[in-house]
Amino acid sequence: MSQADDRDVRDRLATLRQEDAREAPSLAAVLAAARRTGRVGPRPLRWVPAIAAVAVAVVFVVVSVLAPNGQRQALVSLATARWQSPTDFLLRVPGAEYLETMPSFTTDWRNP
Amino acid sequence: MQPPDLERELDHVHTAAFGWALACCAGDRSRAEDVLQSSYLKILDGRARFDGRSSFRTWLFGIVRRTAAEERRRARLRRWLPLTWFGVLQARDGRPDPASALTRSETTRRLERALAALPPRQHEVLHLVFYQDLTIAEAGAVLGVSLGTARTHYERGKAALREMLKEVDRE
């Protein structure tokens, strides 16, 4: 891109700048609107009430689930629960029954 | 810097800041005004502090750019809020105001369309260099990128814009 091309782009954007400048609101108007919509000065912690409300809701849910009658109760009764791994069968090796029985040896071939 | 000094500095760069806010908001005038208000508020209530590491203008432009990005994220979120579905909040579509578009010349509108068609970074660098008369290094500082990256966006953006303007001129 040549210098002339640069100048052309610069000129076009200068025209755009002039048109924007004509439409620009005054600083006083922008500041007045800013002061209307937001407080100038140290901002209060506006997220605190929202966070507090969420925290209260979470505590309420936890308490209502864990202690419906004022007593702590387990979510699952461990006495009735039985868990079995889905890959248990892989631990069963062929011929495992021979390892669980005691072989007997005798010299009497007719009555083993 | 004290509030009266800040206001004096803002007064110097206000028109340029409005132009930059317009560029960050795809030419949407009302959104640009909102962004400018929020940016000035951040400065005046001390959430954004000028530490003198760059020029005041470069620093302000960085704030305007970040605020515009926050505003875009909020607008995307607002689209999903039930209030928008019921029409309580009007979601903006990000296009330039029709009233503003009417007052602009055809040449300017074509230029705006060509700039809007560029990738955002290229558009921003070209705006900062040609419209705001910043150096490429200053444009890089506003965008938070290195000089080399800014220069790449500048060269590619210039070439792309030139092609688009040629097509526009032929029409």
Side-chain angles (χ1 to χ4, degrees), chain B residues 16-79:
Chain B
F18 179 68
W20 174 233
L22 272 175
C24 293
C25 297
D28 186 332
R29 189 194 148 102
S30 59
R31 208 148 61 85
E33 285 183 22
D34 287 350
V35 164
L36 216 51
Q37 282 173 26
S38 305
S39 305
Y40 288 176
L41 208 55
K42 280 181 189 173
I43 293 168
L44 292 174
D45 70 10
R47 276 176 292 156
R49 287 176 194 279
F50 178 58
D51 56 8
R53 277 188 298 177
S54 59
S55 74
F56 185 82
R57 192 157 66 139
T58 308
W59 173 74
L60 173 65
F61 282 8
I63 292 171
V64 169
R65 183 172 180 268
R66 277 195 298 278
T67 309
E70 287 164 14
E71 175 67 27
R72 273 197 301 276
R73 277 196 295 274
R74 241 178 261 135
R76 271 201 294 270
L77 190 67
R78 231 177 274 139
R79 252 177 252 145

Side-chain angles (χ1 to χ4, degrees), chain B residues 25-159:
Chain B
C25 297
D28 186 332
R29 189 194 148 102
S30 59
R31 208 148 61 85
E33 285 183 22
D34 287 350
V35 164
L36 216 51
Q37 282 173 26
S38 305
S39 305
Y40 288 176
L41 208 55
K42 280 181 189 173
I43 293 168
L44 292 174
D45 70 10
R47 276 176 292 156
R49 287 176 194 279
F50 178 58
D51 56 8
R53 277 188 298 177
S54 59
S55 74
F56 185 82
R57 192 157 66 139
T58 308
W59 173 74
L60 173 65
F61 282 8
I63 292 171
V64 169
R65 183 172 180 268
R66 277 195 298 278
T67 309
E70 287 164 14
E71 175 67 27
R72 273 197 301 276
R73 277 196 295 274
R74 241 178 261 135
R76 271 201 294 270
L77 190 67
R78 231 177 274 139
R79 252 177 252 145
W80 292 98
L81 281 178
L83 290 174
T84 312
W85 300 338
F86 292 117
V88 177
L89 281 176
Q90 196 64 47
R92 290 176 185 157
D93 57 8
R95 287 178 299 182
D97 295 335
S100 169
L102 278 175
T103 60
R104 291 178 177 262
S105 66
E106 182 56 31
T107 320
T108 310
R109 268 184 278 165
R110 282 179 183 173
L111 176 63
E112 280 181 320
R113 277 201 296 273
L115 283 170
L118 290 174
R121 279 280 164 89
Q122 292 178 11
H123 175 194
E124 287 171 331
V125 172
L126 291 188
H127 177 98
L128 291 168
V129 172
F130 288 114
Y131 181 112
Q132 303 286 356
D133 286 328
L134 296 186
T135 61
I136 299 175
E138 285 172 327
V142 171
L143 303 179
V145 298
S146 69
L147 173 61
T149 307
R151 190 169 284 143
T152 305
H153 289 308
Y154 170 75
E155 294 296 344
R156 288 181 184 164
K158 226 166 46 163

Side-chain angles (χ1 to χ4, degrees), chain A residues 1 5-6 8 10 12-13 16-17 19-21 23-27 30-31 33-35 40-41 43, chain B residues 7 14 18 22 29 37 40-41 44-45 47 100 103-105 108 111 129-131 133 158 162 169:
Chain A
M1 200 178 199
D5 288 336
D6 272 13
D8 177 43
R10 202 175 285 279
R12 285 174 193 253
L13 279 155
L16 178 62
R17 184 172 57 212
E19 292 194 15
D20 286 347
E23 291 177 7
S26 69
L27 175 67
V30 174
L31 287 180
R35 286 185 172 117
V40 174
R43 231 154 212 255
Chain B
E7 286 193 29
H14 171 65
F18 179 68
L22 272 175
R29 189 194 148 102
Q37 282 173 26
Y40 288 176
L41 208 55
L44 292 174
D45 70 10
R47 276 176 292 156
S100 169
T103 60
R104 291 178 177 262
S105 66
T108 310
L111 176 63
V129 172
F130 288 114
Y131 181 112
D133 286 328
K158 226 166 46 163
R162 189 74 215 141
D169 290 343

